[in-house]
Amino acid sequence: MSSSEITSRTSQQPAGPPAAGRPWRILLADDHAMVREALSQMLERLDDHLQVTQARDLPEALSLLATDSGFSLLLLDYNMPGMEGVASIGTIGAQYPGLPVGVISGYLTGAEVEPLISAGAIGVFPKTMSGPALMMALKLALSGQTYVPWSGDLGQAAPQAARSPADTDLPDLSARQLEVLGHVAAGSPNKEIARALGLSEVTIKIHVAALCRKFAVANRTQLATAALRAGVKPIGDTAG
């Protein structure tokens, strides 16, 4: 992989998920000014501790990175000038190994998503996502979980055999499961959910596993997305 736009610099330590009440920063690169501004304003409205810095294209984003190592996340538009898809993700990951990199796009197929994740992207985030859903997905990805969008969010129809939970009603859940689901939707880790509900972490894991089965999803990230789409209100967002 190669890119003439990448410059050498000292590697930084992984930023990790944003701590509750602590400032965190996103570098957002997109060649459409209206999209950049809309996404920036939406995310900053959802988290008072978040600051979004904008870049017009990949070269400008890399120029900013060369002089500022304080970003928690780099978000790149898939189709902007200077962006070379998988090659850019891989090269940026090699030059900035501690910086999480995500991809945003208005149109991607499932076949295009997998190579980006394999190259090191922490997630692929459709521009069509609602503000709360996008914020939740970003925080979960920063917590170490890879975000892969539902096929219905991509530039193709969702297969009939794999409909997303958005196509169905909220499953029949107990009061306790609804509580746990609300915390999952807020991006809270099991340890914090257990503390909030006065339960053991093992019990929370059992509840999360049961919820994944009820929603017919494969992992926690998909569960949180499904919960938001089903109208579940996030409880005690401790991630920022």
Side-chain angles (χ1 to χ4, degrees), residues 167-221:
D167 300 321
T168 62
D169 295 328
L170 186 69
D172 184 24
L173 304 175
S174 68
R176 179 63 80 189
Q177 286 177 326
L178 281 171
E179 281 186 306
V180 172
L181 189 59
H183 285 283
V184 171
S188 301
N190 288 339
K191 190 172 184 179
E192 292 184 9
I193 300 175
R195 185 185 308 120
L197 299 182
L199 300 172
S200 71
E201 191 171 350
V202 172
T203 298
I204 299 302
K205 289 180 180 179
I206 293 172
H207 279 305
V208 170
L211 288 166
C212 283
R213 288 194 296 271
K214 288 201 172 190
F215 276 90
V217 297
N219 56 51
R220 185 191 190 90
T221 303

Side-chain angles (χ1 to χ4, degrees), residues 1-3 5-7 9 11-12 27 29 57-59 61-62 65 74-77 80 82-103 119-121:
M1 299 180 187
S2 63
S3 172
E5 306 295 345
I6 304 295
T7 57
R9 73 186 294 273
S11 63
Q12 58 192 60
L27 175 55
D57 49 30
L58 184 59
L62 293 170
L65 285 175
L74 171 63
L75 277 181
L76 302 173
D77 177 40
M80 66 180 171
M83 183 69 174
E84 299 174 2
V86 171
S88 292
I89 297 298
T91 309
I92 292 171
Q95 295 293 330
Y96 300 85
L99 178 65
V101 180
V103 176

Side-chain angles (χ1 to χ4, degrees), residues 83-128:
M83 183 69 174
E84 299 174 2
V86 171
S88 292
I89 297 298
T91 309
I92 292 171
Q95 295 293 330
Y96 300 85
L99 178 65
V101 180
V103 176
I104 55 174
S105 179
Y107 185 99
L108 276 181
T109 65
E112 292 172 307
V113 169
E114 287 190 16
L116 291 169
I117 299 300
S118 297
I122 64 169
V124 175
F125 309 94
K127 294 179 181 179
T128 54

